[in-house]
Amino acid sequence: MVAASLLTQLKTSLRFFVKHPWQLWLTLLSIALGSAVMIAVDIANQSARQSFSDAVDHISGQATHYLIARNHQALDDTLYTRLRVDWGFQQSMPVIEENLVIHGIEYQLIGIDPLAMISIETQQSSVLPREQNWVRLLTEPKTVLITEQTAWQLQLNEQSTLKAMINQRTQTLQVVGFINNSALFSQQQILLADIATAQELTGMIGTLDRIALVLNTQQADRLASLIPENVQLITSSQRSNTLEQMTAAFRINLTAMSLLAMLVGCFLVYNTMMFSVLQRRQQFAIQRMLGFTGLQIFWQMLIEALLFAVIGGISGIVLGIVLSKSLLQLVARTINDVYAEITTGLLHIEPLLLVKGIGLTLVAVVLATLGPALEAARIAPATVHRKSQLEQSSQRLTPYLSVTGVICMIFALTTLYLFPRQLIAAFAALFILVIGYSLIMPLLIQSLVNLCSRFLPASSSLSKMALRGLQRSLSRTNLAIIALAVAVSATVGVGIMTTSFRSSLADWLGITLQNDLYISSSSPDGTRVEGSLESFWLPALEDMPEIQAISHSKASHLQINNQSIALLILQPGHQRSRGFHLLQGNSNRQWLRYLNGEVVLISEPYAYHQQLGVGDALEAITSEGKPITLEVGAVFQDYSSSQGMIVMHRSLYEQHWQDRSISSIGLLLKEGADANQLKQQIQQLATPGQQAVRIRYNKEIREQSLAIFDRTFAITDVLRLLVILVAFVGVFSALMVLLLEKQREYAVLRATGLTPVQLAQLLLIQTAITGLLAGVLALPLGWLMSELLIHVINQRSFGWSMNSVLPVSILAQAVVLSICAALLAALFPIKRLTTMSLSKNLRDL
Amino acid sequence: MNNWGWLFLIFVIGALLWQINQTDTNQLTQNNNVNTVLSESLDQGFAKADRIRTFSFPHDHYMHPKYRIEWWYITGNLQSDTGRAFGYQITFFRTALTSKSQKRQSSWASNHIWMAHLAVSDIEQQQHIHTQKISRGAAGLAGISQQPFKIWLDDWQITANSSGNFPWAIIAKDQKISIDVTINPLKPIVLQGDQGLSQKSSEPGNASYYYSSTRMQTSGTITINNTLHQVKGLSWLDREWSTSALGKHQSGWDWFSLQLNTGEELMFYRIRDKAGNSDKHSQGKWIDVNGNSTALDSSDVILEALDYWQPSTGKSYPISWRMTLPKRNKEMIIKAAINDQLMRTTFEYWEGAVNVYNTGLNSLAGKGYLEMTGY
């Protein structure tokens, strides 16, 4: 019985939506878009993470440990020989990893010793080819094995040659076979080469990236006591954890962004479902008269919503997967720029992740439908002819909503105060803040509209009409305005944040880059400062008359609490200023102590994450393996790494380290000296064929840094666009429904003398006001969000502090964007209304 | 949704299904790589053992890189102070992958693969423990050096004081077993075959250069599962290098190295054809007490398998033999000291300690080693 009646109910729902196809499509589209953005970000994050548990883990099979250099540079390859020949660790394998580019796609070249692999891998998961192709791999230069997927992607066979860019050099590689069990590498794009070939292709002659080992506890202890001090033994889980922790904050930020899209999506679902209730008021009243209970109607709405959620969610998955491909590129690029080298990898789609996406969509849709469903259930049979109940009831509710909103916002701020360091709490506060503000918005909208109508000139009757019309249908437009406002505020918030960040970064670069020219030894691909400069550089440069002062630095690493932290050793020249913006310990006394090698400087992220301040002591182990205690002299602003950095004066370094090498030189030129000419002179000093040296202008580094910044934030731009798109769809659907519902009203207006142009004007003014309202209301929320993003979320994620900037252009853009979005969304409904058949609509009256 | 939209959706779903399908794992295959490399000739650029050459020592203890394969094969029967008997085998194999060596920048580049097998037969406990190592002959991981003489692979090594002159010291260690012994010949070196050219089939070049040191005084230690045994006894060194060892119709060999209590030794290998019959190129040497050797051909030695042992892999290995030398009026029973002395290495073969008995008399007439391949 129940089932039969439910079926009847659903049939009436179906009939309604068949009659109102636009509403159906738009509801589905908002759900699909909302969940697509969420799922896409999830997949992109997951895939990027998968690249960490990298290909070598498959190749080294059961490797339990890795040997790496403490300074994160390359290992001397003779260590491997000692390991096997002198110390007898048989289950070990040398590894070289380098990214290369084939046809614009990034791949990872992995150099291994196939014979050592036999000792470390399990027979079942052998990656060596079935045939004897690996003999060629061992004996012929430039030979590689590829996966079957790669062969398929690049249209290669087992004998093809291919051109690859490695360290900015094009090399022709010879394919000599397929990697066995290619499926193991479905997440990675890899090429396998013999270790000798890898050394030759990457220029890493005499070095290895790491050594993979299978060790039990005793063997690990024994090995740890044997290895030289600049080498570190880590467990394989330690390795992947480090990378994961490094990028966690970045990924949380992305997830928050995607949840924001979902939140906007929820508003839309609430919106459309509420409309469908309004439009079916009569139908529900009749249903009640026929004996259906309120509860039955409540369930009818929920099941309707669930069906929408399922269909919308599934489309969302499909859309999300498509979207995630481009997102992954952006995520991987950021991780590459800022954190560590990973390959873009292929999409990693876990079924669980999709289930989670659908599940969240269902929950969100059902939650958003609860209100409309309750509303529908409460419709009394007697209200068949009354239309304005919702208007009244919603206006009655406004004060309560506003009070709740204020409580929410106070709660959000309290949360921030109570949990001063948790990132999750900050995001929770952000969301509660947005919801709180949304609850206050109806009151604000009402007040704004009232205010407008009071000050509107009496002459403009059309505007007045438009405003009145808006006032009357507020309960219906409110939600569209709120959805649009939230979406626009997100763009305002993120916009202010990026602008503030960028300007802080530019200021910081100005302070940090004191010299005119920089010379650095660089990694072959030029992305990182690596190795050391040859010793002839300093004396040679000192002889140059154009140079006023020479400073130099060395990049190294310290081990503190088992974690590796970047160490920069500085020998300042005669600087114009300190080159640091000191946030704590900014006194001449502390600076002198630093110059005398008594204290070190730590960067702000390090101070924040480790809760360190001036006067605190650091127990560290040097890259040469010696324990050392350092005192924090000052905290400086730094955006170069979110992990943090320690800066040490050269004099202190030389007290504790044997190493006298330098990795970078800064040159301050005399007034009037020609930097271009000097750069050429310096270039001539570098012996061709020797070590790669980069000579860069101050401006170049500055521009590169800002370019990296812009690239990093490209993903936020994309997400902002997506949020706007979701909101746009919402506004479109709201207006469409609203305008179509008022068809008859407009028909009467037309019949009483309003021309189509005038009607269009009326409607456009109405929509523009809607957009304007949303835009204006978005500004305070956007500003609040930006404050939260800048001073709370960024600080908690990365440990960076920055100054807020309030660019007028972003605010103006937001309002314009909002009005344009509303107008654009209204174009189609307006066109339909102005060209409608008068007689048909009037007949229905 | 318009037509374009549907098409797009179908495409996306198709792509999704393809992705999911990709993650299915391929069927797993057994790894036979090393086998392939070691058994197959890759090119014609290697030198062949096709003529009689002059041997000179210690120079010829060093490697002959123009030939594809080469080995240093040491087997022995030792006894502890308490009379406990052990057999041991340590072999270093060198295989060249190609005859064309290219000049390469990386010191890891090599066209030589080294493989080493180590086995200890604990006859009292009837256990045979063996292990293998494999490595490229580069980057100091494995190889041979002449001055001072050293053959090594990882931490297993054979060393000599001078450029290869005896005595040799052998050290090899694994998780369960290790040996640390010194071997010193009691007799001059025996050139096998025709002045050291050991023909394996009628095809020219299907031969190896082959010499042996048939009676080497041995002392040192053997460790099994952390228990150290002081040992003494006799070892046998076989040195062989070639480019291809067997003819097309041949399937394997049974190789005997026997050290008799009379002070004489016998080496004999029987080459089997694919039907299991003895090939006429089967041959050997009889070495008298003074170290004078006499050639044995296929008619001089009659072999008869008396008993078989079958591992779980299914192949049957003869573990008891009757060896008759009609011209010398000699008949011996040769029995495996342990049935299962199968080397379950990348290529499987049976190599183990044997006891030699005179027919009729139940007394031990000597000891030796037996190698059986191609079963």
Side-chain angles (χ1 to χ4, degrees):
Chain A
M1 232 348 250
V2 176
S5 73
L6 192 64
L7 207 64
T8 322
Q9 280 178 296
L10 288 180
K11 271 185 191 161
T12 61
S13 297
L14 185 67
R15 232 167 286 136
F16 171 77
F17 283 107
V18 167
K19 267 181 151 178
H20 300 83
W22 277 107
Q23 206 155 346
L24 176 69
W25 284 122
L26 289 172
T27 312
L28 288 178
L29 193 59
S30 0
I31 298 173
L33 270 179
S35 62
V37 173
M38 185 183 65
I39 288 168
V41 170
D42 242 11
I43 293 176
N45 269 343
Q46 181 77 30
S47 307
R49 227 166 109 188
Q50 193 65 28
S51 308
F52 298 148
S53 58
D54 56 354
V56 174
D57 290 348
H58 288 305
I59 288 176
S60 45
Q62 313 155 323
T64 57
H65 290 75
Y66 290 105
L67 279 176
I68 54 167
R70 265 190 211 279
N71 57 12
H72 287 239
Q73 289 171 10
L75 283 174
D76 186 342
D77 64 4
T78 55
L79 176 69
Y80 182 73
T81 312
R82 286 170 70 193
L83 189 75
R84 291 186 80 106
V85 176
D86 298 345
W87 305 331
F89 289 95
Q90 201 191 143
Q91 288 187 295
S92 51
M93 181 175 75
V95 180
I96 286 181
E97 276 176 297
E98 186 68 65
N99 285 0
L100 51 77
V101 176
I102 305 167
H103 294 312
I105 307 171
E106 207 165 58
Y107 287 81
Q108 197 177 19
L109 174 75
I110 301 180
I112 40 93
D113 181 355
L115 297 167
M117 194 186 261
I118 292 169
S119 71
I120 208 166
E121 71 175 0
T122 52
Q123 284 271 308
Q124 286 76 23
S125 65
S126 166
V127 299
L128 293 178
R130 300 142 205 154
E131 304 301 324
Q132 60 177 41
N133 312 44
W134 62 272
V135 172
R136 293 184 67 193
L137 193 72
L138 277 178
T139 53
E140 292 176 28
K142 298 191 179 182
T143 49
V144 291
L145 298 176
I146 57 174
T147 64
E148 282 164 37
Q149 287 104 298
T150 306
W152 183 82
Q153 274 169 1
L154 299 175
Q155 300 288 303
L156 300 170
N157 60 35
E158 282 182 276
Q159 306 295 327
S160 305
T161 56
L162 55 93
K163 284 213 184 327
M165 277 281 283
I166 309 169
N167 296 334
Q168 297 175 325
R169 262 171 59 210
T170 306
Q171 311 237 31
T172 306
L173 307 182
Q174 171 70 51
V175 177
V176 291
F178 291 153
I179 296 172
N180 195 13
N181 287 320
S182 281
L184 283 175
F185 304 100
S186 57
Q187 304 318 318
Q188 290 96 8
Q189 320 228 62
I190 64 154
L191 279 80
L192 214 58
D194 180 50
I195 194 85
T197 309
Q199 280 193 342
E200 289 164 355
L201 288 176
T202 59
M204 287 183 65
I205 299 293
T207 61
L208 303 172
D209 277 326
R210 59 175 177 276
I211 298 171
L213 294 142
V214 179
L215 300 174
N216 60 31
T217 326
Q218 286 167 330
Q219 288 172 317
D221 289 346
R222 190 182 144 231
L223 181 58
S225 69
L226 288 169
I227 50 176
E229 281 160 346
N230 59 353
V231 176
Q232 196 185 356
L233 181 68
I234 56 167
T235 62
S236 48
S237 53
Q238 246 173 338
R239 202 185 106 76
S240 35
N241 279 348
T242 315
L243 279 171
E244 276 219 32
Q245 281 161 8
M246 267 166 82
T247 54
F250 174 68
R251 283 182 285 114
I252 290 175
N253 271 311
L254 285 186
T255 308
M257 231 16 190
S258 75
L259 288 177
L260 197 65
M262 197 63 200
L263 186 69
V264 173
C266 277
F267 275 117
L268 301 182
V269 172
Y270 179 83
N271 199 14
T272 41
M273 291 312 274
M274 198 53 123
F275 270 119
S276 77
V277 171
L278 278 177
Q279 284 174 310
R280 281 184 283 176
R281 169 178 299 281
Q282 273 186 333
Q283 183 198 317
F284 287 139
I286 292 168
Q287 270 180 290
R288 289 297 307 273
M289 280 199 261
L290 289 175
F292 286 96
T293 63
L295 192 65
Q296 275 175 315
I297 290 175
F298 177 79
W299 278 113
Q300 180 185 349
M301 289 294 293
L302 276 195
I303 289 170
E304 226 174 66
L306 269 180
L307 288 176
F308 281 144
V310 169
I311 300 170
I314 289 173
S315 329
I317 285 180
V318 175
L319 244 157
I321 290 171
V322 176
L323 205 60
S324 62
K325 286 214 170 188
S326 23
L327 280 187
L328 175 58
Q329 299 279 344
L330 291 170
V331 173
R333 205 170 65 183
T334 303
I335 292 175
N336 261 333
D337 280 346
V338 185
Y339 300 98
E341 253 179 74
I342 60 165
T343 50
T344 315
L346 296 173
L347 285 187
H348 180 80
I349 302 167
E350 264 181 30
L352 198 69
L353 202 143
L354 301 183
V355 171
K356 189 182 116 197
I358 286 263
L360 262 175
T361 309
L362 287 184
V363 171
V365 170
V366 168
L367 278 181
T369 314
L370 278 182
L374 273 175
E375 192 64 47
R378 253 191 268 135
I379 291 172
T383 57
V384 166
H385 292 296
R386 252 186 270 159
K387 276 203 167 180
S388 55
Q389 198 189 358
L390 188 68
E391 230 70 56
Q392 287 160 3
S393 75
S394 80
Q395 288 192 356
R396 216 178 46 238
L397 271 178
T398 308
Y400 298 108
L401 288 179
S402 307
V403 172
T404 318
V406 171
I407 293 173
C408 277
M409 291 174 83
I410 293 173
F411 179 72
L413 294 177
T414 320
T415 310
L416 285 183
Y417 182 76
L418 287 179
F419 302 96
R421 297 188 77 85
Q422 277 85 347
L423 187 56
I424 298 291
F427 278 115
L430 180 69
F431 275 86
I432 298 169
L433 188 79
V434 171
I435 290 167
Y437 187 83
S438 312
L439 291 174
I440 301 173
M441 260 198 264
L443 181 70
L444 296 177
I445 295 168
Q446 223 172 352
S447 323
L448 276 177
V449 172
N450 291 342
L451 206 69
C452 282
S453 61
R454 198 170 301 166
F455 291 104
L456 219 60
S459 60
S460 168
S461 60
L462 208 58
S463 314
K464 259 194 175 149
M465 224 165 118
L467 211 57
R468 294 253 167 73
L470 201 67
Q471 230 166 348
R472 256 186 304 117
S473 55
L474 266 188
S475 70
R476 303 164 200 211
T477 33
N478 262 348
L479 277 163
I481 297 176
I482 294 174
L484 187 59
V486 169
V488 172
S489 73
T491 75
V492 172
V494 175
I496 296 178
M497 189 267 282
T498 23
T499 315
S500 305
F501 197 168
R502 203 175 191 281
S503 91
S504 300
L505 180 73
D507 288 347
W508 170 77
L509 285 169
I511 295 171
T512 309
L513 298 174
Q514 288 291 307
N515 295 298
D516 299 307
L517 270 180
Y518 290 88
I519 307 170
S520 57
S521 62
S522 69
S523 60
D525 61 357
T527 52
R528 286 166 179 77
V529 174
E530 250 174 36
S532 44
L533 284 168
E534 283 165 75
S535 52
F536 72 87
W537 279 101
L538 276 182
L541 291 168
E542 272 160 10
D543 292 342
M544 293 191 166
E546 298 91 337
I547 297 170
Q548 189 189 329
I550 300 175
S551 57
H552 60 79
S553 67
K554 157 92 186 165
S556 183
H557 277 260
L558 266 184
Q559 204 71 19
I560 298 179
N561 297 331
N562 264 331
Q563 280 188 324
S564 179
I565 163 107
L567 172 70
L568 188 72
I569 302 103
L570 277 184
Q571 171 70 57
H574 308 290
Q575 305 280 10
R576 288 174 197 140
S577 73
R578 290 173 183 171
F580 290 100
H581 177 211
L582 298 183
L583 302 167
Q584 283 178 44
N586 188 8
S587 69
N588 279 333
R589 183 177 162 268
Q590 285 302 84
W591 186 251
L592 281 175
R593 289 186 69 205
Y594 159 72
L595 290 181
N596 289 334
E598 294 167 29
V599 291
V600 294
L601 311 178
I602 61 173
S603 73
E604 189 190 9
Y606 194 65
Y608 179 82
H609 291 309
Q610 307 297 324
Q611 306 197 34
L612 291 168
V614 173
D616 286 338
L618 303 171
E619 301 293 334
I621 295 168
T622 69
S623 53
E624 289 167 2
K626 273 197 305 195
I628 172 176
T629 306
L630 301 168
E631 187 191 327
V632 176
V635 178
F636 65 95
Q637 191 179 31
D638 177 57
Y639 297 126
S640 64
S641 114
S642 62
Q643 311 305 292
M645 181 168 54
I646 295 175
V647 171
M648 183 182 281
H649 195 270
R650 188 86 204 177
S651 57
L652 179 56
Y653 183 71
E654 295 194 347
Q655 285 173 31
H656 297 279
W657 273 260
Q658 300 302 314
D659 168 47
R660 292 292 177 267
S661 65
I662 55 174
S663 49
S664 170
I665 298 174
L667 301 175
L668 187 63
L669 305 191
K670 286 191 178 143
E671 283 304 320
D674 184 352
N676 292 335
Q677 209 185 344
L678 191 69
K679 186 180 173 182
Q680 279 174 3
Q681 279 182 32
I682 294 169
Q683 251 153 1
Q684 281 162 2
L685 282 177
T687 355
Q690 293 279 317
Q691 168 194 39
V693 174
R694 302 190 84 195
I695 305 162
R696 290 183 297 174
Y697 300 113
N698 177 323
K699 207 176 121 204
E700 240 178 298
I701 299 182
R702 198 185 157 81
E703 278 165 8
Q704 269 170 0
S705 308
L706 290 174
I708 288 180
F709 176 87
D710 292 340
R711 264 171 33 186
T712 309
F713 281 91
I715 186 152
T716 55
D717 284 340
V718 173
L719 287 177
R720 268 160 78 190
L721 262 180
L722 287 171
V723 173
I724 291 278
L725 188 67
V726 174
F728 178 79
V729 169
V731 175
F732 181 71
S733 71
L735 287 173
M736 188 81 189
V737 172
L738 185 69
L739 295 179
L740 293 183
E741 205 199 24
K742 286 187 167 179
Q743 278 193 102
R744 278 177 243 168
E745 198 182 307
Y746 295 134
V748 172
L749 283 176
R750 285 284 315 281
T752 51
L754 206 68
T755 63
V757 176
Q758 279 175 319
L759 178 60
Q761 274 175 351
L762 174 76
L763 295 174
L764 280 175
I765 292 174
Q766 235 171 39
T767 334
I769 295 175
T770 313
L772 180 70
L773 281 173
V776 169
L777 287 172
L779 298 184
L781 180 59
W783 175 76
L784 272 175
M785 281 170 88
S786 76
E787 286 295 296
L788 214 62
L789 285 171
I790 293 171
H791 298 299
V792 181
I793 289 175
N794 253 308
Q795 173 96 47
R796 292 185 188 184
S797 306
F798 309 108
W800 291 324
S801 71
M802 51 194 90
N803 306 319
S804 358
V805 178
L806 197 62
V808 181
S809 61
I810 286 188
L811 303 183
Q813 268 171 24
V815 177
V816 174
L817 174 81
S818 170
I819 296 173
C820 289
L823 285 178
L824 206 64
L827 279 184
F828 182 73
I830 289 174
K831 190 170 165 256
R832 269 190 68 163
L833 278 177
T834 48
T835 54
M836 68 189 167
S837 152
L838 266 189
S839 56
K840 185 173 166 284
N841 277 302
L842 284 172
R843 209 180 309 126
D844 289 344
L845 199 61
Chain B
M1 207 181 281
N2 58 25
N3 286 340
W4 184 87
W6 285 115
L7 267 180
F8 182 68
L9 186 67
I10 289 165
F11 168 77
V12 167
I13 292 172
L16 180 67
L17 289 177
W18 180 80
Q19 286 269 2
I20 291 165
N21 206 22
Q22 283 297 299
T23 51
D24 280 352
T25 43
N26 289 352
Q27 219 177 339
L28 305 172
T29 46
Q30 188 76 28
N31 180 354
N32 274 327
N33 298 311
V34 179
N35 235 347
T36 324
V37 172
L38 294 179
S39 59
E40 224 162 278
S41 169
L42 292 169
D43 59 46
Q44 299 299 312
F46 291 108
K48 286 190 168 173
D50 51 6
R51 69 202 70 176
I52 288 166
R53 72 189 282 281
T54 314
F55 286 76
S56 81
F57 299 100
H59 185 78
D60 274 322
H61 295 323
Y62 190 67
M63 72 168 167
H64 304 83
K66 285 181 182 163
Y67 298 83
R68 205 169 74 85
I69 44 178
E70 180 159 18
W71 57 65
W72 293 254
Y73 222 115
I74 299 158
T75 52
N77 279 287
L78 308 176
Q79 244 182 345
S80 77
D81 304 339
T82 56
R84 192 163 160 180
F86 298 98
Y88 82 95
Q89 175 217 344
I90 181 161
T91 314
F92 287 85
F93 301 90
R94 175 192 64 80
T95 307
L97 297 173
T98 161
S99 61
K100 301 176 281 284
S101 68
Q102 304 198 32
K103 208 171 152 50
R104 302 270 301 259
Q105 255 185 302
S106 171
S107 62
W108 290 68
S110 167
N111 59 345
H112 290 288
I113 289 184
W114 286 78
M115 190 164 69
H117 290 176
L118 172 70
V120 169
S121 299
D122 179 358
I123 290 155
E124 190 182 279
Q125 296 293 316
Q126 286 286 297
Q127 60 174 340
H128 172 247
I129 305 168
H130 64 278
T131 174
Q132 75 167 344
K133 277 174 181 285
I134 183 158
S135 175
R136 62 180 64 220
L141 295 169
I144 182 165
S145 75
Q146 204 165 6
Q147 199 62 266
F149 185 81
K150 180 180 177 186
I151 305 167
W152 81 98
L153 197 172
D154 290 349
D155 54 347
W156 296 359
Q157 58 177 49
I158 299 174
T159 51
N161 288 335
S162 54
S163 55
N165 280 319
F166 297 111
W168 286 2
I170 303 166
I171 296 178
K173 193 163 104 187
D174 194 63
Q175 278 167 327
K176 285 186 180 161
I177 46 171
S178 66
I179 61 166
D180 181 350
V181 293
T182 310
I183 55 172
N184 205 10
L186 296 169
K187 287 186 184 179
I189 280 170
V190 175
L191 298 181
Q192 303 284 6
D194 183 5
Q195 300 167 60
L197 178 68
S198 169
Q199 199 68 35
K200 300 296 197 288
S201 81
S202 48
E203 201 181 315
N206 251 358
S208 67
Y209 292 114
Y210 182 5
Y211 68 84
S212 310
S213 181
T214 55
R215 188 170 286 256
M216 304 182 89
Q217 196 173 45
T218 306
S219 65
T221 60
I222 282 182
T223 309
I224 302 176
N225 294 328
N226 295 323
T227 310
L228 186 102
H229 306 272
Q230 289 287 342
V231 287
K232 271 191 203 129
L234 293 177
S235 294
W236 178 298
L237 165 73
D238 257 15
R239 284 274 294 117
E240 213 164 346
W241 61 95
S242 68
T243 290
S244 70
L246 288 182
K248 284 193 182 81
H249 57 283
Q250 296 167 333
S251 67
W253 62 79
D254 306 310
W255 171 88
F256 296 84
S257 63
L258 308 180
Q259 291 157 327
L260 303 179
N261 293 346
T262 54
E264 297 156 309
E265 293 91 40
L266 172 144
M267 188 288 290
F268 187 81
Y269 60 80
R270 179 179 79 144
I271 299 178
R272 299 189 313 279
D273 62 19
K274 289 196 171 142
N277 301 319
S278 295
D279 189 281
K280 62 176 180 183
H281 290 94
S282 304
Q283 55 172 302
K285 279 266 152 93
W286 179 269
I287 299 105
D288 72 12
V289 182
N290 301 318
N292 303 314
S293 56
T294 323
L296 301 169
D297 64 23
S298 55
S299 65
D300 292 332
V301 178
I302 299 165
L303 279 167
E304 188 190 346
L306 302 176
D307 196 7
Y308 289 86
W309 168 80
Q310 194 173 26
S312 55
T313 48
K315 304 161 187 169
S316 277
Y317 289 92
I319 36 98
S320 179
W321 297 79
R322 176 181 291 121
M323 181 188 272
T324 315
L325 290 82
K327 288 178 190 160
R328 291 179 183 268
N329 199 16
K330 206 167 172 67
E331 191 178 279
M332 295 175 282
I333 300 295
I334 299 157
K335 279 186 176 168
I338 303 170
N339 287 351
D340 180 2
Q341 295 185 80
L342 189 65
M343 297 294 287
R344 293 172 175 88
T345 42
T346 18
F347 60 87
E348 201 177 81
Y349 62 105
W350 196 103
E351 172 98 31
V354 291
N355 292 323
V356 185
Y357 303 91
N358 287 324
T359 324
L361 302 166
N362 245 352
S363 63
L364 198 64
K367 290 183 175 182
Y369 251 75
L370 165 62
E371 177 178 291
M372 299 179 280
T373 71
Y375 280 93

